[in-house]
């Protein structure tokens, strides 16, 4: 790209209000841009930036001083703010890719047009519902989408020339819709099964078993490509069902761990897919064919891609996500070659790492997308009226959070670790300007999930491993290696460590791999290992288990949890350790229950994100054999409106010891309620 135009864009940015009182950010941006333009990429290093830009001395150590990473994050936020506001029509985008310091320069391709036949419209979800995933039909006439309504996720279809959406029966818990080539049927995944349903109506039919779906594609020859597990390869199966056959293989040289979200190219034989890697910056979009075990890397990317045919004078293109933007680049699908300049279609597109980007394009020229960014959450302290007290840390996309009992630390589960790209456990120190540091072993390329705290806030317990086998590990904050206390078959997602230190509740799909069940690991006093047994094991989901406070030195007497046994999630209480008796606490749906530490209140989230309070008196009814509580009372709307398929078992809030404050990781904007934008033709 022409260096003079980039320098003009740099000057335009630095003169903007987003950088008016940010001298560090100004120096940082000018330093890296000038080095890039001078061809000195090799000098754009953390140590050099710390010394030459941020004033650190020659003994700077990035392991103990995160100043460059912190300032880089702030710089990305300022660039985002600039392009969202005063730079919205600028022709060149200067960006700082996440996890790197070498800037990138791209042309912006504005989809807005005052001319000739470009139609833009907004598609809203059904009333009181939120979009989850969507796909436009090949003929460009219909939109298939999954939406959360009253705690249930269902599949809908809507003609783009209509204001009404039609609910398709028998599609509870649907995800990742994909279309048949004739635009008459929609495939989708539910827990344990890949299914298809005709848009004209009728029952959904089963196609293949899955554990957790990661997208699928349907060829004109009746072949369906899909990934049956969260970690693994792609398989093909007939759209009439049958035995799946493996199609791809993991590239160990690139540290690949999963393939997903395929899309067929025009010949119905070659296809694109996302190859997720544990090595930073190695995840990519690959191209392959049904009859060949080989594949080709097209471009590095962290989310799904799509092929767009020649339309409105534009050459056939590959659409993919790069540094948060939706990019188009000319693509010769017959020779599987990219060429020419990249162009920005949407400056900020919604997506999650190793997942489906929030856009879809038809073969007839209809582009649908949902704007947003990956880091759209903010840790915020709220009072009992829902008023904001203070924010903690920067914008994030944490999977889950857990506040330490002493309220000094927050354990966060990140899926954007710059060292491995895998989910890992980090600790935020609320007393040290919200400094965030990794608590677990940095040299292990293994997923780590769901940290819970010991009562004295001195250590955490978390899970480590793949979906077929995970271990539970303890790690002391003061140092030392993590110690395994339980290593058995199946996934394990810890939800609570009892206040007497003897029990850990976790969810697992063992033994049937069809539902999440609640298990209890007994640590025992002074024991190195743990014994585990199922506490709740029924033919539905039972999650979010949390022990009641162990008052008076006694073991916990109750367990609060959420179950969808009625068809939607409600909050329940069981006696512990027997679990023989059950009391329903919520009345209109409820998930993620938490006890106040004095045993006088239980809070939970309604399915539309209202924080509910239930008065209890554990100490006053210490000898009662029946659980007693008051009626649920609403406190305030939290903004946590994503308590659905992928978030319902991941903790997103916590409360202070006295129950007067709540720490919530909530959306900065109500992106999950946002409209889908349609551009015809794109």
């Amino acid at each position: 790209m022409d260096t003079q135009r980039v320098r003009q864009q740099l000057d335009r940015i630095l003169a903007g209000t987003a950088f008016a009182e940010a001298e560090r950010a100004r120096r940082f941006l000018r330093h890296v841009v000038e080095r890039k333009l001078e061809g000195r990429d090799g000098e754009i290093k953390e140590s050099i930036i710390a010394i030459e830009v941020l004033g650190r001395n020659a003994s700077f150590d990035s392991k103990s001083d995160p100043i460059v990473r912190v300032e880089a994050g702030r710089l990305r936020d300022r660039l985002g703010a600039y392009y969202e506001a005063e730079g919205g029509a600028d022709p060149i985008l200067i960006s700082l890719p996440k996890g790197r310091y070498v800037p990138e320069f791209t042309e912006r391709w504005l989809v807005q047009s005052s001319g000739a036949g470009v139609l833009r419209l907004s598609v809203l979800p059904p009333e009181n519902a939120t979009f989850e995933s969507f796909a436009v039909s090949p003929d460009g006439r219909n939109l298939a989408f999954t939406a959360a309504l009253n705690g249930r996720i269902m599949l809908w279809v809507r003609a783009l020339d209509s204001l009404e959406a039609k609910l398709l029966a028998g599609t509870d818990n649907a995800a990742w819709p994909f279309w048949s080539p004739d635009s008459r049927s929609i495939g989708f995944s539910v827990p344990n099964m890949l299914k298809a349903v005709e848009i004209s109506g009728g029952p959904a039919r089963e196609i293949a078993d899955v554990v957790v779906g990661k997208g699928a594609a349907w060829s004109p020859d009746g072949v369906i490509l899909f990934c049956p597990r969260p970690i693994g390869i792609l398989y093909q199966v007939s759209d009439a069902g049958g035995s799946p056959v493996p199609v791809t293989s993991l590239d160990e040289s690139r540290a690949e761990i999963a393939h997903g979200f395929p899309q067929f190219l025009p010949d119905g034989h070659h296809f694109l897919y996302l190859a997720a890697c544990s090595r930073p910056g190695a995840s990519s979009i690959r191209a392959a064919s049904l009859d060949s075990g080989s594949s080709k890397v097209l471009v590095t990317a962290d989310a799904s891609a799509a092929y767009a045919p020649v339309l409105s004078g534009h050459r056939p293109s590959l659409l993919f996500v790069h540094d948060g933007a939706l990019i188009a680049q000319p693509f010769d699908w017959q020779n599987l070659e990219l060429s020419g300049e990249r162009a920005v279609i949407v400056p900020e597109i919604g997506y999650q790492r190793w997942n489906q980007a929030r856009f879809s394009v038809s073969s007839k020229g209809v582009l649908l997308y949902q704007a947003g960014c990956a880091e759209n959450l903010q840790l915020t302290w709220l009072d009992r009226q829902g008023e904001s007290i203070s924010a903690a840390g920067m914008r994030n996309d944490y999977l889950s959070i857990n506040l330490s009992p002493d309220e000094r630390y927050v354990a966060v589960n990140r899926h954007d670790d710059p060292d491995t790209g895998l989910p890992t456990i980090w600790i935020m120190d609320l007393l040290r300007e919200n400094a965030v540091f990794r608590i677990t072993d940095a040299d292990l390329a293994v997923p780590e999930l769901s940290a819970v705290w010991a009562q004295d806030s001195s250590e955490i317990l978390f899970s480590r491993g793949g979906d077929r086998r995970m271990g539970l590990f303890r790690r002391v904050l003061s140092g030392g290696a993590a110690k395994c206390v339980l290593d058995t078959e199946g996934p394990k997602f810890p939800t609570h460590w009892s206040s007497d230190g003897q029990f850990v509740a976790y969810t697992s799909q063992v033994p049937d791999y069809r539902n999440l069940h609640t298990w209890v690991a007994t640590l025992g006093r002074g024991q190195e290992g743990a014994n585990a047994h199922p506490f709740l094991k029924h033919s539905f989901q039972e999650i979010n288990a949390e022990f009641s406070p162990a008052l008076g030195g006694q073991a916990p007497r109750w367990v609060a949890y959420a179950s969808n046994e009625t068809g939607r999630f409600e909050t329940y209480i069981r006696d512990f350790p027997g679990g023989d008796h059950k009391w329903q606490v919520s009345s209109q749906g409820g998930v993620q229950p938490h006890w106040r530490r004095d045993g006088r209140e239980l809070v939970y989230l309604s399915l539309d994100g209202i924080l509910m309070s239930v008065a209890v008196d554990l100490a006053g009814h210490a000898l009662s054999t029946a659980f007693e509580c008051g009626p649920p009372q609403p406190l305030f709307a939290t903004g946590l409106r994503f308590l659905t398929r992928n978030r319902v078992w991941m903790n997103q809030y916590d409360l202070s010891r006295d129950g007067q404050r709540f720490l919530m990781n909530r959306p900065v904007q109500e992106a999950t309620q946002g409209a889908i934008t349609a551009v015809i033709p794109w």
Side-chain angles (χ1 to χ4, degrees), residues 564-648:
N564 68 348
E565 60 190 85
T566 64
R568 71 178 178 191
F569 280 105
E570 299 281 1
T571 293
Y572 298 88
I573 302 292
R574 289 261 184 178
D575 60 296
F576 184 78
D580 299 319
H581 305 285
K582 177 181 67 176
W583 295 266
Q584 183 171 331
V585 174
S586 61
S587 56
Q588 298 295 322
V591 293
Q592 298 191 5
H594 290 303
W595 301 90
R596 202 166 78 191
R597 292 187 178 92
D598 62 4
R600 301 188 67 85
E601 184 181 28
L602 179 73
V603 296
Y604 66 87
L605 290 166
S606 70
L607 298 178
D608 57 357
I610 305 297
L611 185 66
M612 307 295 293
S613 169
V614 177
V616 296
D617 186 4
L618 299 187
H621 299 90
L623 300 179
S624 175
T625 58
F627 181 77
E628 300 179 22
C629 66
Q633 300 292 333
L635 293 181
F636 58 86
T638 65
L640 299 177
R641 295 181 61 90
F642 46 86
L643 299 171
T644 51
R645 182 183 182 85
N646 296 316
R647 292 282 189 177
V648 68

Side-chain angles (χ1 to χ4, degrees), residues 129-208:
T130 56
F131 285 125
E132 290 288 313
S133 54
F134 60 90
V136 64
S137 60
D139 62 11
R141 296 177 179 273
N142 292 288
L143 170 67
F145 63 89
T146 59
L149 180 62
N150 297 325
R152 299 174 65 194
I153 303 178
M154 303 284 283
L155 180 62
W156 305 66
V157 64
R158 171 182 162 175
L160 289 180
D161 60 359
S162 170
L163 297 178
E164 298 297 325
K166 172 184 164 184
L167 178 64
L168 298 178
T171 61
D172 285 61
N173 297 311
W176 313 127
F178 61 99
W179 285 89
S180 63
D182 61 7
S183 300
R184 295 179 180 178
S185 298
I186 304 170
F188 59 97
S189 63
V190 298
N192 318 309
M193 187 61 63
L194 191 70
K195 295 185 175 184
V197 64
E198 294 185 7
I199 64 173
S200 59
R205 55 188 177 85
E206 297 182 349
I207 296 172

